[in-house]
Amino acid sequence: MGINVDQFTEKASSLEVYVCGYCKKVASAPVLVAGCECVLCLQCSKGINQCPNNCEGSVYQLKSLGGALLKIYNNLQVKCSNVGCDWVGSLGEYAAHSNKDCTESTQQCPNPLCSLAVKKRDLAKHASECAYRSVQCEHCSSQISFLNTQSHLSVCPSVQVQCPLDQGCDKMMRSDVQMHINLFCPSATVLCPWKKFGCDYKGERRYLEKHTTDNNAKHLLYVKKSI
């Protein structure tokens, strides 16, 4: 697509030779239709297969704009289209200014999940505050979206948590909870080690030692009966 005529400081009549026959704006990256010499934007030329001005006898073959026409075109004075920018310069410099230098141009937030476009001058500030920015979990060092910090902390394996069975146990990493319950927690329900011989005791680990001591003779009897 071309550039709006009202962006130029020249009179509209002096720009007519460079107006794209398809989009009716001053051509961007202009090319000529062979034969009729009508001007098209390079991008506009890719969507058609004949001269949009219906010139008689024209052959739809494209050629570059050159010579004096190209020199005059590159020296046309154009105003920046971005609101708040007062830059005026040659058309040959316009692309570099608009795409690279203009602080009033808008750019997409670099965070892939964010759809917001902000002014280039505000981009660094926005990126540092964006809800979708990547941050490192202080517990497991994983890279996560800032927006998902709380949900990550609820499952993070390295967060220190309380034993779900006994508030008196020391805190431990979430990834160690199951091992703690299986091997160490005094409030975990366990079976008597003599179960295979017939003891049906089932109780908290804290009472297991007393159970085995108090029932030593009973356990020996279970063993004799199993032989």
Side-chain angles (χ1 to χ4, degrees), residues 22-38:
Y22 184 79
C23 69
K24 307 305 180 184
K25 299 179 180 181
V26 174
S28 176
V31 292
L32 297 176
V33 179
C36 63
E37 302 287 304
C38 288

Side-chain angles (χ1 to χ4, degrees), residues 47-77:
I48 55 178
N49 55 20
Q50 65 180 26
C51 177
N53 295 322
N54 297 316
C55 297
E56 293 185 9
S58 66
V59 179
Y60 194 68
Q61 293 179 344
L62 303 175
K63 63 181 183 178
S64 300
L65 187 70
L69 277 178
L70 180 61
K71 185 176 181 180
I72 295 172
Y73 172 85
N74 284 331
N75 285 320
L76 292 174
Q77 295 297 294

Side-chain angles (χ1 to χ4, degrees), residues 135-187:
V135 295
Q136 186 179 64
C137 173
E138 62 181 316
H139 301 283
C140 69
S141 299
S142 295
Q143 291 297 127
I144 57 175
S145 170
F146 177 78
L147 193 64
N148 296 328
T149 300
Q150 292 305 314
S151 60
H152 169 76
L153 291 177
S154 69
V155 297
C156 177
S158 298
V159 168
Q160 294 285 311
V161 296
Q162 192 69 56
C163 172
L165 302 181
D166 193 331
Q167 297 296 306
C169 295
D170 293 335
K171 284 189 174 183
M172 66 205 78
M173 291 197 302
R174 182 176 281 115
S175 59
D176 293 336
V177 168
Q178 194 57 55
M179 181 180 69
H180 165 77
I181 292 174
N182 292 342
L183 300 177
F184 307 112
C185 182
S187 295

Side-chain angles (χ1 to χ4, degrees), residues 95-129:
H97 166 77
S98 180
N99 298 329
K100 188 176 179 181
D101 301 329
C102 183
T103 58
E104 299 298 326
S105 64
T106 56
Q107 289 192 350
Q108 189 70 34
C109 172
N111 296 311
L113 297 176
C114 182
S115 60
L116 191 65
V118 297
K119 287 186 179 292
K120 183 185 288 187
R121 57 181 165 80
D122 299 325
L123 189 61
K125 183 176 185 293
H126 166 76
S128 68
E129 299 173 347

